[in-house]
Amino acid sequence: YAMLTKEEIAQAEAWFLQGNQAFSENNIDVALNFYQQAAVLRPDSGLVWQNIAACYQAQGQIASAIDALDMAVKRNPHAYDARLSLAQAYLAHYQLGKAQLQFFSLLQVPEY
């Protein structure tokens, strides 16, 4: 993706923070909308994808949450919490083989 301007970076950050505020107030649909807007500008952000996944999980949309968590892990392979959430989501969705692989991969994540 192309380099972002300072304004676009600031806009993505603002949407992310507005998403966090809405999520904290349990306005999940509003939060998801803000996070998705942030993801358009910052598709490389693992944290944005993790928060999108949290919204989907709160809505009971496990398959969509798994997709978003997969994006988060691809963006940041060392994100322990994203991998753990992905493993748990696979487990909740009875995809045991994939869950096992993610749990095993947690052993490979370096500690910081």
Side-chain angles (χ1 to χ4, degrees), residues 13-25:
E13 180 69 17
W15 280 329
F16 182 78
L17 294 175
Q18 287 175 291
N20 289 348
Q21 180 65 36
F23 192 88
S24 73
E25 295 169 354

Side-chain angles (χ1 to χ4, degrees), residues 2-112:
M3 294 296 291
L4 297 176
T5 66
K6 288 181 183 177
E7 291 79 15
E8 289 171 323
I9 292 169
Q11 182 62 69
E13 180 69 17
W15 280 329
F16 182 78
L17 294 175
Q18 287 175 291
N20 289 348
Q21 180 65 36
F23 192 88
S24 73
E25 295 169 354
N26 207 33
N27 293 326
I28 306 302
D29 293 341
V30 173
L32 181 58
N33 188 4
F34 281 126
Y35 292 141
Q36 287 171 330
Q37 289 180 75
V40 169
L41 289 177
R42 297 296 308 269
D44 60 319
S45 173
L47 195 54
V48 170
W49 289 105
Q50 280 180 257
N51 288 13
I52 288 171
C55 290
Y56 284 134
Q57 285 178 314
Q59 294 173 335
Q61 298 184 52
I62 302 299
S64 294
I66 287 172
D67 290 343
L69 286 167
D70 189 52
M71 294 288 277
V73 168
K74 287 177 181 169
R75 280 5 180 222
N76 187 358
H78 299 298
Y80 185 91
D81 52 344
R83 283 198 180 273
L84 179 59
S85 294
L86 182 56
Q88 292 169 330
Y90 278 137
L91 198 57
H93 210 52
Y94 302 103
Q95 296 183 27
L96 304 183
K98 290 180 179 180
Q100 184 179 24
L101 287 173
Q102 288 302 320
F103 281 123
F104 181 75
S105 76
L106 289 171
L107 300 174
Q108 314 299 318
V109 175
E111 292 184 33
Y112 290 101

